[in-house]
Amino acid sequence: MLIGLDVGGTYTDAVLLDGQQVIKKVKTPTDNEHLLDTLVSALDPLLDAAQGESLERIVLSTTLITNLIATNRIEPAALVIIPGPGLNPYTYDYHVPDTFLLSGAIDYRGREIEPLDQQELKKCAEEINKKGLKKAAVVGKFSQRNKKHEETVATYLKEHIPDLCVLMGHQVTGRLNFPRRIHTTLLTLATQENYNSFYSEILKLLKKRGITAPLYILKADGGTLSFELSAAKPVETIFSGPAASTLGVLALTPEGETSVVVDIGGTTTDLALILSGRPLFASRGARVGDRLTQVRAFATSSAAVGGDSCLEVENGALKIMPYRKGPAYCLGGACPTPTDAMRVAGLTELGDQQKAIRAMEMLGEGLKLNPQETAELVLDKTTEKIIAEIEKMFLSWEQEPAYRIWELRQKKKVRPNNLVGIGAASPALLPLLGKKMGCNALIPPNAEVANAIGAALAKVNLRLTFHFDTERQFFFIEENGIQEKNREVKTLADAESFAMSRLIEEGKKLGIDVNDQPELVYSEVFNMVRGWRTGGRLIDVCVQFPTGILKQQEEGDH
Amino acid sequence: MPTGLVFFPAFDWAITPTHPEREERLLYTRDQLFEEGIMDLPELIEYKPRLALKKDIARAHFCVPDIETQITDAHLYAAGGALVLADALMNKEIDNGFALVRPPGHHSMRVVHGNRGFCNIHNEAIMIEYLRKKYGLQRIAIVDTDVHHGDGTQDIYYHDPDVLFISYHQDGRTLYPGSGFCNELGGPAAFGMNINIPLQPYTTDEGIHYLLDNLVLPILEDFKPDLIINSAGQDNHYTDPLANMRFTARGYAKLNEKLAPDLAVLEGGYAIESALPYVNTGIILAMAGLDYSWVREPDYKEENFKETKENMDYIKELADYLWRVWKEREQLAEQRYERKEKFEEVNRHIYYDTDGIREQQHETIRICDQCPGYQIIRSRGMYSTGKVRVIEAVAIHHRACKTCQEEARGYYEQRKREREGLDVVYLQDKPGDRYYQCSADGEIEILD
Ligand SMILES: [Zn+2]
Ligand SMILES: [Zn+2]
Ligand SMILES: [Zn+2]
């Protein structure tokens, strides 16, 4: 059996699954100040229901990291950057008062084009020491292609400052984007400690209940990872909520279809896309507050309308406000809401019919419409707003820049087969949305705990993007910062088979099912021509065990 | 408003695997731009290229025997990338824009028999004709900062008084394509609208900026264009393997800051490692109004980029001379062209280096008191395979008067009927925005 727990900002969902079958589900409010208590109250009923049957794993999706960052409960750290030539490094604000700039530069091929300055480094270490900082992030431009400068600086700082905790950019992410690498490194450094202490509490709590099943964590990219491994990069667990709900929908809808995940909440409607059975990823990495990171996450979007959105009339026009004043009028709230309109239109049994009519009357006065007409208008406006956001999401996916002819050529206009509703107000509104968009409106069974189901069923995923430089006889891996010498890889075929065997090797370490099919995501080769002759090659190969959900038959094997 | 950027490096397109115009060309530029995180800045917005239509191409070119033969999808996306930015500019989504696209285009002439100087179709000309047609722009200036003479641009706009072309390039006696001398000043209707600035080899930032400040910018101020376009080649760079100049990334950035082009389109530049990542970063930052003073090549030292006195004397003399030509262009035109004649005729040879094609052209230029007239081009392309193609093309200016329009259309209709000896006959009817070609297979209108 599997347990999935999704600790959201407002509610915590939990399920006990046997295969894909829901044995028990729990929904309880989240107490953000006492997340452990929330976990206990969600978990215990499931353990009772399991009646001692063996648990394979517990998967947790949590807002812990989001909360830590949002509330700024993070310790100050020094930021040491080695920007080299290019953009003025002060263009971006990293919100770090103790930022140190070092000279020295690595270029796009990983060649040192300017050495470090020993005097500067010495002064930097003295300053950090003087300020009593306990942590430092060291990030260089193109450090993913040559970690030498970062390592020299880190080693020096550690030697000269006792107990300094140093994290280097290349350890965190190897994707191109120096400012994002800085932010991601800072966030990783800032959250590691709290993450560790939170999870040691959870482990204690599980141990007390005699649970030996491994604890897995859901990441923003929809994959799970055992807790011990996730501790290196806690920032990857941020925003796992949308990943959980999307995976939940994946589990609850027919395979291979294109669906929009629609989560209609109080004042917002959250959206995610599944294209031909594959969740859509954000093209560049998650935004955390005002920081752009390199955390791989699902593409999500949000329309500023929900069941409790306050409705007003301004200059004879209906307006949907971005806030709420308590629940819907028909449920004892203060102002008319889309939920009242749904009640009047007979789309829901929720709340008091008379109050709902009264709400539409109040609103209709300024619009010179009767309650029925007013409700219709409200539903029109509400659905329009959500549909516009859905269209925008598809459009921005279509408009994503591409740098190859085949990529530009293959991107066709795609529209969804299904709208899949989760969240409180979805059942009432979804059929209307589906009708307007000409696609199926699905409210799958157990939709209210889709997030927990998604977490429970999430597969361990792994993506490795290799960059080989055969001239420099070297390669690095974007995702884990590995940089190694390599003499064997000379051709694209060499590179592909090397990457694939490395993927399988690394996958085993993570506990990926050996029966899972690894995929070649893309591979391309650039011949380096110097003086009209071919020299070395630059080869990019991306391989993965994709994000997805455990399938029924695979579960049956156990 | 932000600066628009179309980045289309065509990582899956090359002329041949080892050709300078190959997949690898913008690879390191990509790495530099991506690592800088430039696309995340609010000062920049990235657009995706679209496919240009055949009609867009027909506004600028006569493709022999047809458009399909001359282009691939890469060409359509490169030209389409420029069009996307043109729209974004006119829709006021952006302040200015840079189409960082390949393949390049500024050696493509009106008649296209094949690839010249790595170019098949002219991205800027296609964009300009689109802007004129769709948004009614009148006066356009193109400044070519590629080290090679923009002979395609010169050819396409030689008879167009509404388009001012200024080309910086290494002297044609020392570099491909061997043209671009000071006396190539424009046809009878557009004399003085074609300004060539031939530079001595090893000219540096100092010399190029002297000419910018003392010649190019004053001319632009005088001309008052609706739009300034930079044909942004980067092979003036001191490390370029195909030329001999001494321009730097910072020099390029500063040039773009001062010139303030509305739209820039990448042309040549083949120092793919030592120059392009830095030059492109510099240009983008300058266009976006961001600090580019941190952009420098690894071996850059300011003192290495000073002009010799001898060259500076030449440069000053050149600036004075061309300024005088510009100011006195109307009088000079009268001396040069006999206004009494209704037609002017020109013969010339054109060589296509990449495809090894020799072309003979006979151009008949209609001179009209009322309008910029029209031209009839008879072109004979001799291919390396021994094959020969002969075509005739009629090009009518946007502002051609009724009489000229009727004359030109009449000529086309007549040639269509009496096509003997001609493989294709073309009509480029810009006033009507209709484009036709007629061959043994019949006549077609070029639409989309
Ligand atoms: Zn030029
Ligand atoms: Zn050039
Ligand atoms: Zn006329």
Side-chain angles (χ1 to χ4, degrees), chain A residues 380-411:
Chain A
D380 266 350
K381 285 268 177 210
T382 305
T383 48
E384 261 170 36
K385 207 162 174 168
I386 297 170
I387 291 169
E389 198 62 38
I390 293 173
E391 285 290 329
K392 220 170 92 186
M393 262 193 109
F394 275 99
L395 200 69
S396 78
W397 171 72
E398 282 162 19
Q399 292 300 322
E400 249 170 40
Y403 307 116
R404 292 158 194 84
I405 298 155
W406 71 264
E407 285 176 311
L408 289 165
R409 268 285 177 204
Q410 72 156 13
K411 226 177 219 185

Side-chain angles (χ1 to χ4, degrees), chain B residues 366 368-373 400-405:
Chain B
R366 171 68 162 94
C368 173
D369 293 337
Q370 308 300 316
C371 79
C401 70
K402 273 258 147 29
T403 317
C404 285
Q405 286 186 34

Side-chain angles (χ1 to χ4, degrees), chain A residues 108 142 181 398 403 530, chain B residues 31 35 40 46 48 273:
Chain A
Y108 42 82
F142 288 116
R181 191 155 62 252
E398 282 162 19
Y403 307 116
R530 299 296 174 266
Chain B
D31 289 353
E35 176 69 349
D40 287 334
E46 191 179 3
K48 178 180 163 180
E273 288 207 67

Side-chain angles (χ1 to χ4, degrees), chain A residues 492-513:
Chain A
L492 186 61
D494 295 346
E496 286 176 2
S497 71
F498 182 92
M500 212 41 111
S501 59
R502 192 66 175 258
L503 177 78
I504 290 165
E505 191 183 309
E506 298 282 326
K508 278 185 191 150
K509 287 188 209 160
L510 301 183
I512 288 176
D513 192 334

Side-chain angles (χ1 to χ4, degrees), chain B residues 87-113:
Chain B
D87 282 329
L89 181 80
M90 299 315 290
N91 296 334
K92 302 201 177 346
E93 293 164 30
I94 56 173
D95 262 338
N96 53 14
F98 184 17
L100 199 40
V101 297
R102 53 179 291 268
H106 78 145
H107 295 303
S108 308
M109 299 187 166
R110 278 209 280 200
V111 177
V112 178
H113 284 282

